[in-house]
Amino acid sequence: MTGPQVGYLLPTRDRTARDDHELGPLIRQARLAETLGFDSVWAGDSPVTRPRADPLMVLAATAAVTERVTLGTAVLLAGLRHPILLAQQLATLDRIAEGRLIVGMGAGFPHAQTEAQFDAVGVDFARRVSRLTESIEAVRRLWTLEKASFKGRHFDFREVTLAPRPVRPGGPPIWLAGSGEPALRRVARQADGWLPYPPSARTYADEWSLARQSARPVTPALYATVCVDEDPERARRRLRSSIERYYNAPLEAVETVQAMFAGTAHDTAAWLRQYAAAGARHLVIRLAVDDHAAALEEFAGGVLPLVRPGARS
């Protein structure tokens, strides 16, 4: 067994939270991740609730300076955007990346701040799930048909021709976030991959048994936050500082719903391997640190070889 692929989430929100708006370091970190042997580089999305640089523009810049790594959104709030414009942006990005794009999508976590974000752009938060499902169907039509038409509850267009087309026939794979039976049914019905963050490997295994009931192949992935330090107590303090600055909420509350771990490289790898044993084949790692360049080196040297045998050490 070769182990799961491992990706790195660019700290777009972390930099904004520290009032640092320079984007050059993000692109350098993406190049470093490729050099260190990571399989993918990801960027998150939240224009209002947790402001950060636009993920598609950041990934376009990353595509121009990398050659091997997969590029992905973790995750894109598709319901905030019209599917014609979204399909064009994603197809253009897929072309820049020469077919290396994965489109992670989500409906938006049910929270007052998330609802305010939808309200700010004039989108009914209560309809965010149906907008997401319609968007997926619409963008796939736009990527594949010469003249695409769509009529739904939210979107209605006729004979639209999209250019450029994505590199791959049918467009880049779409991975869906989410837990709970309704979200897992959407994964099985519409997605090419599943990108959740359940707080335990046991929960992951139980939910994957539902998500995998799909007529199409689905890649099981995991979004996980880690803080690696050879002093476990210091790791926990660093995790707390990062998470509470990011979410403006207690660590104890956030870790009840999200996969996160603080500890030594050996213990971090063992924790991640539990999810791999539960079925995860692609791990998207968010590093809860201040110095991402140093943390990337540390993770690549101490954790990556233990999670993915054969990785650079």
Side-chain angles (χ1 to χ4, degrees), residues 47-58:
V48 176
T49 301
R50 298 184 184 91
R52 68 195 74 188
D54 179 83
L56 302 186
M57 298 189 73
V58 169

Side-chain angles (χ1 to χ4, degrees), residues 104-135:
M105 291 185 178
F109 190 77
H111 189 277
Q113 291 181 328
T114 310
E115 183 172 354
Q117 176 168 247
F118 277 74
D119 289 343
V121 297
V123 174
D124 185 351
F125 184 71
R127 297 186 177 185
R128 70 194 187 283
V129 173
S130 58
R131 282 180 66 93
L132 171 64
T133 58
E134 284 194 9
S135 292

